[in-house]
């Protein structure tokens, strides 16, 4: 159910799914780092990880898993939990940031699907559904 299976079924969707899948993972990790920064830890910022540049976030194995199985991961954003203030609230908020980011991304995909009403087997329909589904999976795990 990964990008490889989509390529075999409809090669036109591959570039769009590739971009949306990669950025779904990048947004998840960026959210962790951004919230950690707001809660007092600037480790991710010092290491240049508060960026949408996928090359700063992607893990080679996780990216291959994404292509072949439809689920992957990125390099975890470094967080020094000792710098979070208040500690407990910071820990919870940093942990929840990726989940919230992916839930919002899924909501946007499904919202656009309802507003735009693309043809059921069009590229836009397929990209919105598959990206929304991936974001729900990323939020769950």
């Amino acid at each position: 159910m990964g990008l490889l299976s989509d390529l075999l079924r409809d090669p036109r969707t591959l570039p769009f799914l590739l971009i949306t899948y990669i950025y779904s993972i990048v947004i998840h990790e960026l959210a962790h780092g951004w919230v950690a920064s707001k809660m007092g830890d600037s480790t991710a910022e010092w290491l240049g990880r508060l960026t949408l540049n996928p090359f700063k976030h992607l893990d080679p194995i996780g990216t291959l898993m994404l292509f072949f199985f439809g689920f992957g991961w990125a390099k975890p954003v470094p967080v020094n939990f000792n710098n979070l203030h208040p500690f407990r609230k910071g820990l919870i908020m940093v942990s929840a940031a990726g989940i919230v980011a992916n839930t919002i991304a899924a909501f946007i995909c499904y919202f656009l699907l309802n507003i735009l009403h693309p043809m059921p087997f069009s590229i836009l329909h397929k990209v919105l559904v598959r990206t929304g589904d991936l974001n729900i999976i990323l939020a769950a795990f």
Side-chain angles (χ1 to χ4, degrees), residues 77-121:
V77 170
V79 176
N80 184 348
F81 292 103
N82 294 324
N83 293 336
L84 301 177
H85 300 290
F87 176 76
R88 180 172 278 183
K89 181 180 179 183
L91 185 67
I92 292 168
M93 291 188 66
V94 169
S95 299
I99 296 167
V100 171
N102 287 120
T103 303
I104 291 170
F107 175 80
I108 290 170
C109 287
Y110 298 137
F111 180 75
L112 288 173
L113 196 61
N114 269 328
I115 295 297
L116 301 176
H117 298 294
M119 297 294 288
F121 296 104

Side-chain angles (χ1 to χ4, degrees), residues 12-123:
R12 300 171 303 149
T13 62
L14 182 69
F16 303 106
L17 286 174
L18 182 69
I19 291 167
T20 59
Y21 274 30
I22 286 174
Y23 276 99
S24 293
I25 291 175
V26 168
I27 287 169
H28 179 98
E29 292 302 327
L30 178 62
H32 287 304
W34 184 78
V35 170
S37 171
K38 295 298 178 192
M39 299 298 294
D41 178 40
S42 55
T43 306
E45 191 173 359
W46 289 340
L47 296 173
R49 298 290 299 279
L50 292 183
T51 178
L52 285 172
N53 179 358
F55 296 110
K56 295 278 189 175
H57 295 281
L58 293 182
D59 175 77
I61 304 281
T63 304
L64 287 174
M65 294 291 288
L66 176 69
F67 294 151
F68 289 108
F69 299 107
F71 180 80
W73 58 88
K75 292 185 267 186
V77 170
V79 176
N80 184 348
F81 292 103
N82 294 324
N83 293 336
L84 301 177
H85 300 290
F87 176 76
R88 180 172 278 183
K89 181 180 179 183
L91 185 67
I92 292 168
M93 291 188 66
V94 169
S95 299
I99 296 167
V100 171
N102 287 120
T103 303
I104 291 170
F107 175 80
I108 290 170
C109 287
Y110 298 137
F111 180 75
L112 288 173
L113 196 61
N114 269 328
I115 295 297
L116 301 176
H117 298 294
M119 297 294 288
F121 296 104
S122 68
I123 292 173

